[in-house]
Amino acid sequence: MCYCVSDLKAEVKPLRGREGQTVTLHTGLAKLQSDAKIFGLFGPVRPEIFIVESQAFRGEIITEYKGRFQGRLQLDRETGSLTVRNLTINDTGLYQLQIISEQVTYHNFIFTVYASVPTPNIRNTPHNPSVDSRLVSGSCSVVCSVGNGKEVTLSWYRGEEKLNNTSSPHQADLSLPLEIKGKNSATYSCIATNPVSNQTTILSIEEHCLQHADSSDCARCITPTELVVRSVLSALVAVATIALLVHHFWRHRRSP
């Protein structure tokens, strides 16, 4: 009996999963015949056989699990559907199930496994005079960043409204700036997504904008310590001036 690469012109079903989760490759069959043989192959060019189930001479059903999926497979003998547990990134690829009975049926799946998207990070943009001059009444410039991965998109939202987004298959990290002008009570959030997960970071106006603006507006303010030092110096200067004037006065009175 031949178990070779199936006809890839047959329907290929796309599936997605996340690392650590479980996926089931459904054949859609109601019930297999008792003498059916099942072969599972992984990979499109030189596929590796990862499961063989057939009936032995005395009618016993024998299932052989091979290769990378050992210990992570469960075959439904009734329908031929296959469950893969504890997914890894390396499980991405083409799966082919061949069920041989009175006729041969092929069940092809393109399966993609994604890592969970990281949590995005928000920080203030570097200071420069042109930016500082605009930091008034809570306005500020921030940038959101996240580690890039497979099909990751980074977006800024104001409430439910998407303001902008970015994605790239090449960058090591994704970054997306945002400038907030003037006081407002809107909720801003930075959201990182991929096809199987998402992570959200809420912008803290108090942390990133109000404090930043206050420190900029108070660039010429005097701290309490500076005030004490200046007061002491002023007092010393005043005392020295008075002493000099008194000395000068008595010198002139004693002169003939």
Side-chain angles (χ1 to χ4, degrees):
M1 190 67 63
C2 173
Y3 40 91
C4 51
V5 179
S6 65
D7 182 4
L8 295 183
K9 293 180 181 179
E11 179 185 7
V12 179
K13 302 175 184 177
L15 292 174
R16 293 169 174 169
R18 188 168 64 190
E19 274 187 312
Q21 291 188 330
T22 297
V23 67
T24 298
L25 311 179
H26 293 283
T27 63
L29 301 176
K31 186 174 178 61
L32 300 181
Q33 294 184 354
S34 60
D35 61 347
K37 297 177 176 60
I38 301 172
F39 302 99
L41 300 95
F42 175 81
V45 181
R46 300 184 64 181
E48 60 178 278
I49 301 169
F50 63 86
I51 187 171
V52 177
E53 180 169 288
S54 60
Q55 192 176 65
F57 176 72
R58 296 181 180 179
E60 180 185 0
I61 300 298
I62 299 177
T63 304
E64 297 179 62
Y65 298 103
K66 304 179 179 182
R68 70 175 70 203
F69 299 104
Q70 287 189 21
R72 297 195 289 134
L73 296 178
Q74 181 178 349
L75 183 65
D76 185 342
R77 179 62 194 175
E78 294 295 316
T79 65
S81 296
L82 183 68
T83 297
V84 185
R85 300 185 299 272
N86 194 22
L87 294 172
T88 71
I89 295 296
N90 292 331
D91 293 338
T92 294
L94 174 66
Y95 292 75
Q96 305 170 64
L97 295 180
Q98 300 179 15
I99 300 176
I100 303 172
S101 186
E102 293 180 351
Q103 61 180 2
V104 180
T105 59
Y106 302 109
H107 306 272
N108 302 323
F109 306 86
I110 286 289
F111 186 52
T112 306
V113 182
Y114 297 84
S116 296
V117 70
T119 300
N121 176 61
I122 298 175
R123 67 182 187 279
N124 287 96
T125 55
H127 298 260
N128 61 65
S130 63
V131 172
D132 289 345
S133 65
R134 295 197 300 270
L135 294 178
V136 180
S137 301
S139 299
C140 65
S141 296
V142 296
V143 62
C144 183
S145 59
V146 71
N148 202 356
K150 188 184 299 182
E151 300 178 44
V152 172
T153 298
L154 190 64
S155 307
W156 272 113
Y157 282 80
R158 180 174 55 213
E160 300 296 323
E161 176 191 3
K162 181 185 287 188
L163 300 177
N164 53 18
N165 66 272
T166 186
S167 61
S168 172
H170 306 297
Q171 290 179 242
D173 294 294
L174 295 177
S175 295
L176 191 61
L178 178 69
E179 184 172 341
I180 302 173
K181 297 181 179 180
K183 291 183 177 180
N184 63 78
S185 58
T187 299
Y188 293 86
S189 57
C190 183
I191 302 179
T193 63
N194 67 10
V196 298
S197 64
N198 65 79
Q199 293 285 352
T200 300
T201 299
I202 303 297
L203 172 65
S204 171
I205 296 294
E206 292 77 11
E207 176 183 354
H208 293 282
C209 296
L210 297 182
Q211 291 181 7
H212 193 48
D214 292 342
S215 63
S216 176
D217 294 339
C218 199
R220 298 183 180 180
C221 293
I222 301 174
T223 65
T225 301
E226 290 174 325
L227 182 60
V228 171
V229 172
R230 291 190 183 191
S231 298
V232 171
L233 290 176
S234 298
L236 291 175
V237 169
V239 170
T241 302
I242 293 172
L244 182 61
L245 290 174
V246 170
H247 176 72
H248 183 73
F249 173 77
W250 284 107
R251 282 188 60 187
H252 278 280
R253 287 199 61 180
R254 293 178 179 179
S255 298

